Amino acid sequence: MVGKPLDELTAALHALLPADSVITDPVRLRTYECDGLTYHRATPGVVVLPETAEQISGVVRACNDFGVPFVARGSGTGLSGGALPREDGVLIVTSKMRRVLEIDLPNHRAVVEPGVTNLAITEAVRDQGYYYAPDPSSQQICSIGGNVAENSGGAHCLKYGFTVNHIEACEIVTPDGDLVTLDRMDPGYDLLGAFIGSEGTLGIATKITVRLSRTPESVITVLAAYESIEQGGQAVSAIIGAGIVPAAIEMMDALSIEAAEAAVSCSYPEGAGAVLIVELDGPVQEVVRQFERLQEICSGAFELRVADDPAERAAIWRGRKSAFAAVGRISPAYIVQDGVVPRTSLPKVLAAIDRLSQEYGIRVANVFHAGDGNLHPLVLFDDAEPGAGERAEAVSGAILDLCIEHGGSITGEHGVGADKAKYMPKMFSADDLDTMQLVRCAFDPKNLSNPGKIFPTPRLCGEVPGVRKGVHPLVASGQAEQF
């Protein structure tokens, strides 16, 4: 049941937006109850579908007037519950804002709206010899606004970096409804860098200037099949140790290969305990030299496949790109995790994950960006089995603990969101978290912009940092959970 402020706000929203852009029907609202991490769900109080930055500004100002929280959402492919809606709030969906506004090839730039899909940017400039480098596995459907919010990466972030390395400017609606532009070239503090990856807590991107890259002169993709994941891990260390910086180094274990075969028939080598996908790109002579060295390093593989044309490369990548969705073929439910460890710790951490799997009776399929130690363990369970979800969540949490213990991080590219907020105090001290909160409060003093994400017990702006006495007001009101 929605409260009076939300009822009054809904009437105001109808005055701001076309009738079909304000959704209150309970059945339609359930479409938006989760993002790609379906384990967390909440039905939004109201959903709006704006088509312009000015409309978003108006909606946010109205939320401020009525003291109602709001959450931004793009294509809903996030994997940390970052776009989990509020039952007492407004969900602002930017999927209708999908225009490519400008292409400026001389300056290697394009300006797009937040609803434009990641892959659509590349498709708009491919014929001119350019592309957009960040490439999440969901790039066909994930939107650039969500990529900015989560600082998304992808298979090729080893060489080319994350979203933050490819954004030149953002027009944003601040949490109080102002429309401002953050530019990489602005003097002073890097506010654009602070905004990218802030998971919707510092405002909503409405126009994004992306950096375009020239299409590499030569690309070679290699698939190496190994009998065990340990052998694949040794090859990864040897590749990096040889001074080769591939565009991508990806690895899949036997269980994830099984899922990919069931889903997309990727025809990876039969009997492989692990497959390693290595992509080299750059000037022809450089790629040739790297490929010759790569063949020597991967000589322990029982099968080596080489692709140097787009169709063959796509065939190799098909299984890896479908891995997350593919596990639905072998498990009724799953949790996608996203932790990071130093490359040298991969063998120990993978062995520990295997022990956790056996201890809890929960299968774990491992897919990861091996080159930079970014793990994506897929924790599989049957949600119809009593207690299975709780065991899966315990395994998922224990994997994050392993990442922290080995000097890594609880997220590499999926964000913290609602799913991993309770792990933040394991990585950061109270003073660290207070400092982060000061940044949030500078942008969002009313704590209305995607509240309850990233931080386990968000402070009220103006509260004195230090050890809190008693119950936090947000906990007492049911708006936050104390861990």
Side-chain angles (χ1 to χ4, degrees):
M1 180 178 178
V2 298
K4 184 177 179 182
L6 191 56
D7 287 337
E8 294 174 345
L9 172 61
T10 301
L13 294 176
H14 278 292
L16 289 169
L17 301 166
D20 60 353
S21 293
V22 181
I23 299 174
T24 56
D25 177 69
V27 175
R28 294 181 65 193
L29 289 176
R30 291 196 63 184
T31 301
Y32 303 93
E33 66 183 1
C34 66
D35 57 13
L37 185 67
T38 59
Y39 191 69
H40 299 285
R41 295 174 182 267
T43 303
V46 181
V47 170
V48 296
L49 300 167
E51 298 183 32
T52 68
E54 290 73 22
Q55 287 179 348
I56 292 180
S57 175
V59 170
V60 171
R61 286 184 183 278
C63 287
N64 272 265
D65 291 342
F66 291 93
V68 172
F70 58 90
V71 177
R73 171 189 166 109
S75 297
T77 59
L79 292 167
S80 65
L84 186 71
R86 299 270 303 206
E87 294 183 355
D88 61 343
V90 177
L91 187 67
I92 302 174
V93 181
T94 61
S95 57
K96 284 188 175 182
M97 300 174 65
R98 47 178 181 263
R99 294 181 298 162
V100 176
L101 300 171
E102 180 185 355
I103 295 176
D104 179 7
L105 294 183
N107 290 304
H108 296 188
R109 293 153 67 106
V111 182
V112 302
E113 290 185 323
V116 172
T117 62
N118 179 288
L119 186 59
I121 300 175
T122 292
E123 290 175 337
V125 296
R126 179 182 284 130
D127 290 345
Q128 290 99 329
Y130 290 83
Y131 76 114
Y132 180 61
D135 63 334
S137 294
S138 58
Q139 67 177 148
Q140 294 186 31
I141 53 174
C142 67
S143 59
I144 193 65
N147 290 176
V148 168
E150 302 297 329
N151 191 23
S152 302
H156 292 81
C157 63
L158 173 64
K159 182 174 181 179
Y160 293 102
F162 291 77
T163 298
V164 69
N165 304 113
H166 300 269
I167 302 299
E168 299 292 336
C170 279
E171 176 190 82
I172 73 168
V173 171
T174 66
D176 58 4
D178 290 339
L179 200 59
V180 301
T181 297
L182 307 177
D183 195 292
R184 181 74 66 198
M185 300 304 292
D186 287 342
Y189 294 122
D190 183 10
L191 297 180
L192 178 62
F195 179 82
I196 298 170
S198 61
E199 304 188 31
T201 62
L202 304 185
I204 304 171
T206 53
K207 185 188 297 180
I208 301 147
T209 302
V210 303
R211 179 184 302 163
L212 302 174
S213 301
R214 291 300 300 262
T215 303
E217 184 180 7
S218 175
V219 182
I220 294 179
T221 305
V222 177
L223 184 145
Y226 292 90
E227 294 179 355
S228 70
I229 200 166
E230 290 77 15
Q231 290 177 317
Q234 291 169 2
V236 171
S237 296
I239 291 167
I240 301 298
I244 300 173
V245 182
I249 308 181
E250 300 289 298
M251 190 181 292
M252 300 171 63
D253 69 3
L255 190 54
S256 60
I257 295 169
E258 176 189 339
E261 291 291 354
V264 297
S265 302
C266 51
S267 300
Y268 287 164
E270 189 173 348
V275 294
L276 191 65
I277 300 173
V278 184
E279 189 155 278
L280 307 171
D281 70 9
V284 174
Q285 292 304 315
E286 177 185 318
V287 170
V288 169
R289 286 195 302 271
Q290 290 182 341
F291 175 61
E292 290 172 350
R293 184 72 181 100
L294 181 66
Q295 285 180 298
E296 297 173 5
I297 293 171
C298 295
S299 60
F302 71 79
E303 185 174 335
L304 205 67
R305 297 180 185 175
V306 181
D308 58 6
D309 72 63
E312 292 175 347
R313 291 200 304 272
I316 286 179
W317 278 108
R318 185 179 299 118
R320 171 60 187 91
K321 289 286 188 178
S322 68
F324 288 178
V327 293
R329 293 296 187 97
I330 63 172
S331 178
Y334 61 93
I335 298 173
V336 180
Q337 206 38 277
D338 167 50
V340 182
V341 297
R343 281 188 299 268
T344 53
S345 298
L346 278 173
K348 291 181 181 178
V349 172
L350 290 171
I353 291 174
D354 185 57
R355 289 193 296 271
L356 285 170
S357 174
Q358 296 180 38
E359 177 185 349
Y360 284 87
I362 294 288
R363 294 184 299 166
V364 180
N366 289 292
V367 181
F368 49 100
H369 305 315
D372 51 8
N374 189 182
L375 303 171
H376 292 313
L378 302 158
V379 183
L380 315 182
F381 66 100
D382 184 349
D383 50 359
E385 178 187 336
E390 289 75 12
R391 295 201 314 276
E393 192 168 15
V395 170
S396 178
I399 290 172
L400 293 181
D401 288 338
L402 283 171
C403 293
I404 295 171
E405 290 167 13
H406 286 81
S409 169
I410 62 173
T411 180
E413 57 181 343
H414 293 175
V416 177
D419 186 51
K420 290 180 279 192
K422 63 184 176 184
Y423 294 95
M424 288 288 277
K426 295 187 177 184
M427 274 197 70
F428 300 103
S429 70
D431 287 343
D432 292 332
L433 294 173
D434 278 335
T435 301
M436 295 180 198
Q437 291 278 28
L438 290 173
V439 176
R440 177 184 64 83
C441 289
F443 278 78
D444 183 23
K446 293 183 180 179
N447 191 32
L448 295 179
S449 188
N450 208 11
K453 309 295 170 55
I454 304 179
F455 302 105
T457 51
R459 291 189 180 278
L460 295 179
C461 297
E463 186 176 4
V464 178
V467 178
R468 185 178 292 112
K469 302 294 192 295
V471 178
H472 191 288
L474 290 179
V475 176
S477 66
Q479 297 180 61
E481 185 176 355
Q482 177 76 55
F483 293 98

